[in-house]
Amino acid sequence: MDERQLRILRELGDLGSVSAVAEALHVTPSAISQQLRLLQLSIPIPLTERAGRRVVLTDAGQALAAAAVKVETALAEARNTVTDFAGQPDGEVSVAAFHSAASAFFPVLLRGLAGPGLPRLALGDEDVAQDRFPALTRHYDLVIAHRLDHGPPWPRGVTSTTLLREPLDVALPAGHPLASKAPLTPGDVADQPWITVHDGFPLMSTIEAIASVANRRPEIVHRINDFAVAAEVVAAGGGLALMPRWTARPHPDVVLRPLGGVHARRHIDVLHRPERTARRAVRTVLAELHRAAARIQVRDH
């Protein structure tokens, strides 16, 4: 077996089909199948099996795919030993983030890592559904993602650390009758018109929890993912919205009120493939992200 074959096996476990692996690695499906056959020749028990039209991993294949993560990590550490030993932490580090996290963290990174001898940043905004964040770790060194406090964990194929556990508040126009009450309850807000994110994005679970506790289905009138745009619509009287307390920009005509009775908090996590932090530059950027998150919490308190 070789490194490329193990990489293909790992990707097959993550992506679930030969065609998806071929697309991710920019080769043909037949080339992927050939490498899997070559790998199988060196292993005495089956690594893959048919599931309908798809090729999937057996239990043995899953075990070897998990070991492949360790192999890639060890090889990445070996390749970067010389760079680390020579003290050259100024390589390029790519960072992706969803919009509100990008607004909060990107300027801090740029200011904190400006100057000679520091990592060169390549930043990208990625507003994707929650289940698509792990796939971004194929293309970025670090991915800032979010999930609800009670949401499913990230897959084992990526490493995650939490930057913030951020409360989600109800955003109302400054003159709204409920603006004088805190905290609000699901019963207070369930009958109001709502501005929500699109399906598949984390905040929708909190809207569903409000409906469950209040035993009423909120009226969703607008679907807007960008919090800055949502705040403008709230200010104009378009409805209520859930807003993150720390990372969304304040609006002069919008007030935030805490919501009781449901889990209204999100994790802002940074995801990466384990081998990425073998590079000192990546570790430097990761440490700066944690310092920035600590300053955000201190400022709020």
Side-chain angles (χ1 to χ4, degrees):
M1 69 182 72
D2 63 29
E3 178 189 357
R4 178 173 175 79
Q5 292 166 354
L6 290 175
R7 170 80 186 280
I8 288 171
L9 193 72
R10 173 186 177 181
E11 297 291 356
L12 181 59
D14 286 347
L15 297 174
S17 73
V18 168
S19 59
V21 175
E23 182 178 355
L25 300 183
H26 306 293
V27 297
T28 64
S30 61
I32 297 297
S33 298
Q34 181 182 18
Q35 291 299 315
L36 289 172
R37 285 194 295 270
L38 291 173
L39 175 61
Q40 184 64 75
L41 291 175
S42 64
I43 305 295
I45 56 178
L47 299 175
T48 62
E49 61 186 1
R50 284 281 176 182
R53 293 187 175 183
R54 296 189 304 122
V55 174
V56 299
L57 298 185
T58 62
D59 289 344
Q62 291 175 3
L64 185 57
V69 175
K70 298 178 182 178
V71 171
E72 285 201 61
T73 300
L75 290 172
E77 289 173 345
R79 294 188 186 101
N80 286 282
T81 295
V82 174
T83 299
D84 278 356
F85 182 78
Q88 298 177 5
D90 56 347
E92 181 178 280
V93 178
S94 56
V95 184
F98 60 95
H99 290 158
S100 59
S103 179
F105 285 100
F106 283 179
V108 177
L109 287 181
L110 289 168
R111 288 191 291 265
L113 298 174
L118 292 171
R120 302 185 307 278
L121 294 170
L123 307 175
D125 66 322
E126 294 282 357
D127 185 33
V128 301
Q130 180 177 336
D131 60 0
R132 291 180 57 197
F133 279 113
L136 294 176
T137 60
R138 294 185 180 88
H139 310 293
Y140 293 92
D141 294 309
L142 300 171
V143 175
I144 303 175
H146 57 153
R147 64 180 181 87
L148 288 188
D149 202 11
H150 54 285
W154 302 111
R156 289 180 296 176
V158 298
T159 298
S160 68
T161 57
T162 297
L163 296 174
L164 292 170
R165 291 178 176 88
E166 183 177 29
L168 300 170
D169 294 329
V170 178
L172 314 97
H176 195 282
L178 292 174
S180 61
K181 182 178 180 181
L184 298 172
T185 68
D188 292 329
V189 300
D191 291 329
Q192 299 290 321
W194 275 88
I195 304 154
T196 71
V197 295
H198 293 275
D199 289 333
F201 289 78
L203 270 62
M204 276 305 301
S205 295
T206 302
I207 299 295
E208 292 164 1
I210 291 171
S212 177
V213 172
N215 198 28
R216 295 192 298 278
R217 175 62 57 182
E219 179 191 6
I220 297 174
V221 292
H222 306 295
R223 297 272 189 170
I224 300 171
N225 275 14
D226 189 292
F227 289 124
V229 178
E232 293 292 346
V233 178
V234 170
L240 309 188
L242 287 175
M243 291 279 181
R245 184 176 299 174
W246 300 329
T247 55
R249 291 185 178 181
H251 191 289
D253 299 320
V254 172
V255 296
L256 300 182
R257 294 293 179 261
L259 178 64
V262 296
H263 289 283
R265 191 171 65 168
R266 69 174 179 178
H267 286 215
I268 297 181
D269 298 332
V270 57
L271 312 181
H272 60 84
R273 290 198 161 193
E275 64 270 18
R276 301 286 188 166
T277 49
R279 295 177 54 216
R280 181 178 295 180
V282 175
R283 297 197 301 271
T284 298
V285 175
L286 185 57
E288 186 66 25
L289 282 171
H290 280 281
R291 283 192 290 270
R295 288 195 293 271
I296 288 173
Q297 287 186 296
V298 168
R299 185 177 65 225
D300 178 70
H301 295 321

